[in-house]
Amino acid sequence: DMCAVTFDADRLLFDEADLKEKVIPSVGMCPRTMMTSLSDAIKGAYGQAFFLRKVQEQFNAWNGHGMFIIADVRYEYEAAWVRSVGGRVIHIHRYDQSKGAMPHSSELGIKVGVSDYVVSNHLSMKELEGQAELYLAWESRQEAEQVTA
């Protein structure tokens, strides 16, 4: 939302995969570049961990019931924090990253840790949802085994 307001652009441009890569003539860059530029500016002004601190605040206020989901982990220091609080990182690998501009550091991915889970994002939405359901079932079994151990 901040990017749409900052660059006076339609919010839909930042959500649709195909539109994220198309240059907007009035701005001279594509929505993906707008998002990474704004993120870099905020981190430059307030520190690299600015967004992580916001997540940590929400996590500290969480009551521990149900799942706490962080929808976007892009850097090693973020993944390390998730693991340090007992969380699990789910890597979503997609195979079409070559299109568009040179990848930003946030697009390079993070190393797969021992307790991480990997999902392929080259499938249909229905198949991707099926992988998510398999993961949730696996995670439930892991938790049940820890309780009985």
Side-chain angles (χ1 to χ4, degrees), residues 46-61:
Y46 300 103
Q48 182 173 347
F50 174 80
F51 296 107
L52 178 57
R53 285 192 302 273
K54 297 297 176 194
V55 171
Q56 288 170 328
E57 290 170 9
Q58 293 174 1
F59 180 78
N60 291 337

Side-chain angles (χ1 to χ4, degrees), residues 1-2 5 36 47 54 64 85 106 119 123 135 144-145:
D1 292 341
M2 186 185 300
V5 172
T36 56
K54 297 297 176 194
V85 295
S106 66
V119 173
L123 307 169
Y135 168 75
E145 287 175 12

Side-chain angles (χ1 to χ4, degrees), residues 59-125:
F59 180 78
N60 291 337
W62 175 54
N63 65 10
H65 297 291
M67 288 189 183
F68 185 89
I69 298 173
I70 302 169
D72 203 350
V73 175
R74 293 178 175 260
Y75 296 98
E76 291 294 338
Y77 67 92
E78 294 171 337
W81 177 79
V82 168
R83 294 178 191 117
S84 76
V85 295
R88 189 172 319 273
V89 176
I90 302 172
H91 299 259
I92 300 177
H93 287 188
R94 46 179 214 260
Y95 300 97
D96 62 349
Q97 289 180 313
S98 61
K99 58 184 180 176
M102 181 69 147
H104 182 264
S105 61
S106 66
E107 299 287 335
L108 299 176
I110 55 178
K111 294 176 188 139
V112 177
V114 174
S115 64
D116 294 356
Y117 191 79
V118 179
V119 173
S120 295
N121 190 18
H122 65 283
L123 307 169
S124 69
M125 184 56 80

Side-chain angles (χ1 to χ4, degrees), residues 12-22 32 96 99:
L12 183 64
L13 297 172
F14 301 93
D15 291 332
E16 297 294 324
D18 292 341
L19 298 177
K20 286 182 186 178
E21 305 300 335
K22 295 187 179 181
R32 183 176 305 284
D96 62 349
K99 58 184 180 176

Side-chain angles (χ1 to χ4, degrees), residues 3 34-44 51 75 104 106:
C3 276
M34 290 179 207
M35 289 185 287
T36 56
S37 296
L38 187 56
S39 173
D40 289 346
I42 291 169
K43 288 178 182 180
F51 296 107
Y75 296 98
H104 182 264
S106 66

